[in-house]
Amino acid sequence: MLAYVFWHWKRATAAAAGYEVAQCAFHAALAAAPPAGYTGSFSVALGDVPWVPGGDAAYEDWYLLEDFTALGALNEAA
């Protein structure tokens, strides 16, 4: 098992609600058509973190994979 963790945040001009809806849709699309070796994913909001400009929330995505080959397949699918 391999866990790939990815931090991201919205643009300052984007609405948080719309960004989060799009994020959920992305994870749902992966679950509906999973690439080889993908076993699941989820996203969590972290709140105010020092490395995000403007003090906006950051998001942490977790992708659960069978191995490093699956990481390549996930990259292609994304």
Side-chain angles (χ1 to χ4, degrees):
M1 170 78 57
L2 177 71
Y4 171 66
V5 180
F6 177 76
W7 287 324
H8 56 94
W9 51 90
K10 66 176 190 61
R11 292 180 189 212
T13 57
Y19 188 82
E20 291 173 4
V21 166
Q23 188 65 14
C24 288
F26 177 76
H27 287 277
L30 277 176
Y38 169 88
T39 61
S41 65
F42 59 92
S43 184
V44 294
L46 299 177
D48 185 20
V49 293
W51 63 86
V52 176
D56 279 340
Y59 299 86
E60 186 176 271
D61 287 7
W62 286 73
Y63 299 90
L64 307 177
L65 309 161
E66 291 177 358
D67 52 30
F68 283 102
T69 302
L71 181 57
L74 175 65
N75 185 50
E76 288 294 319

